[in-house]
Amino acid sequence: MWKINTHIEVSLSKISKIFYGLIIMKVFILTYNENIEEALRLEKELLENGFPNPIIINNLPRCDKIHIKPYKIIFYQFLFYILPQMNCDTIFFEDDTTIGASFEKFRQEMNKGLISRLGYNKIPNQYPKPPNFIQGSHCVGFKKEVIEKFKNYMWKNISKPVHFDKFLCNFYRSELRNEEYYIPKINNELCGYTKHFSLISGNKVKKALELP
């Protein structure tokens, strides 16, 4: 425990967390104007679990109100609004995500791969061995060491955007070795998601992925 002249006591672990959050990691929440309340709910959950202040990205309206096919929306949001700000370890969340672990736990899991699919829905039976295909990307972590390679790959494929889930899997297969990507064995170990409308699925209601 440190004692400062102003009689404020600050623990070394807290200083370390603040330093790590402000300097070494960025946290993003992807949302759209009509769903901003979900993003604010998630922001509160993140802060309560010790995360650095998230950056909320809501530069695009709902994809059914602009001329972008629904499955391309996250690709473009990521490309234009997150990618230029990625200069350190980065973690992003979709706005319907729910948090089931501390920032420290997320950080530990992120250290297991250059890219970590920390929140996903399922691995379909026809693709039993990742990274052939993993469904869902409501939380993804990127280590600083992989960001330049990811940026180059994304801009290289700007003319053929695909569903972001598929894009991540394509990147794994093309650019990384097996030990360089990480997928928790349990899909809701760290986070789940709320019941919500899925624009990509034709405005169908997607039931919640509950936390354990």
Side-chain angles (χ1 to χ4, degrees):
M1 192 73 72
W2 288 356
K3 290 189 176 181
I4 301 178
N5 292 336
T6 55
H7 304 294
I8 299 175
E9 294 185 349
V10 183
S11 69
L12 180 60
S13 62
K14 188 171 184 179
I15 288 177
S16 298
K17 182 183 289 188
I18 293 171
F19 178 82
Y20 189 93
L22 292 178
I23 305 300
I24 305 178
M25 179 177 286
K26 289 184 178 177
V27 181
F28 293 92
I29 299 173
L30 284 178
T31 189
Y32 53 89
N33 294 335
E34 289 88 345
N35 219 38
I36 192 66
E37 290 302 318
E38 273 291 275
L40 295 175
R41 185 266 316 154
L42 174 56
E43 178 185 43
K44 183 173 181 290
E45 283 190 32
L46 291 170
L47 293 175
E48 288 172 349
N49 281 279
F51 282 77
N53 286 329
I55 301 168
I56 296 177
I57 303 294
N58 69 327
N59 301 68
L60 292 177
R62 281 175 44 154
C63 54
D64 57 353
K65 294 191 175 183
I66 56 178
H67 300 296
I68 294 179
K69 292 183 178 179
Y71 69 87
K72 298 179 180 180
I73 193 73
I74 293 180
F75 180 95
Y76 281 123
Q77 257 191 321
F78 201 98
L79 177 69
F80 293 122
Y81 301 113
I82 291 183
L83 205 62
Q85 301 185 64
M86 289 173 68
N87 56 8
C88 59
D89 288 1
T90 299
I91 187 168
F92 96 90
F93 297 89
E94 294 181 5
D95 56 14
D96 48 62
T97 307
T98 54
I99 304 302
S102 67
F103 170 64
E104 187 64 25
K105 177 63 175 175
F106 273 84
R107 186 169 69 87
Q108 290 171 3
E109 294 296 290
M110 273 184 64
N111 286 336
K112 295 179 180 179
L114 293 179
I115 293 186
S116 303
R117 202 76 166 264
L118 301 177
Y120 64 97
N121 185 12
K122 64 181 179 180
I123 299 172
N125 292 333
Q126 63 267 42
Y127 306 111
K129 293 183 179 181
N132 290 331
F133 186 68
I134 305 155
Q135 184 178 316
S137 51
H138 50 281
C139 176
V140 183
F142 299 82
K143 297 296 291 181
K144 181 180 180 181
E145 294 82 357
V146 79
I147 287 174
E148 196 60 36
K149 182 182 287 189
F150 190 77
K151 285 182 177 180
N152 291 338
Y153 188 79
M154 205 165 196
W155 280 107
K156 180 181 175 181
N157 289 276
I158 188 173
S159 63
K160 42 185 178 182
V162 296
H163 192 297
F164 199 65
D165 294 356
K166 184 177 181 181
F167 180 79
L168 287 171
C169 296
N170 290 346
F171 178 75
Y172 295 154
R173 290 196 300 266
S174 171
E175 305 295 325
L176 299 183
R177 301 187 303 272
N178 284 352
E179 65 270 20
E180 291 179 320
Y181 68 88
Y182 172 66
I183 303 152
K185 291 182 179 179
I186 303 173
N187 63 343
N188 62 344
E189 180 179 352
L190 299 174
C191 54
Y193 48 76
T194 61
K195 180 179 178 181
H196 60 281
F197 282 100
S198 173
L199 299 179
I200 292 174
S201 302
N203 277 324
K204 293 180 181 178
V205 174
K206 192 172 183 178
K207 67 179 183 179
L209 176 63
E210 302 288 350
L211 295 167

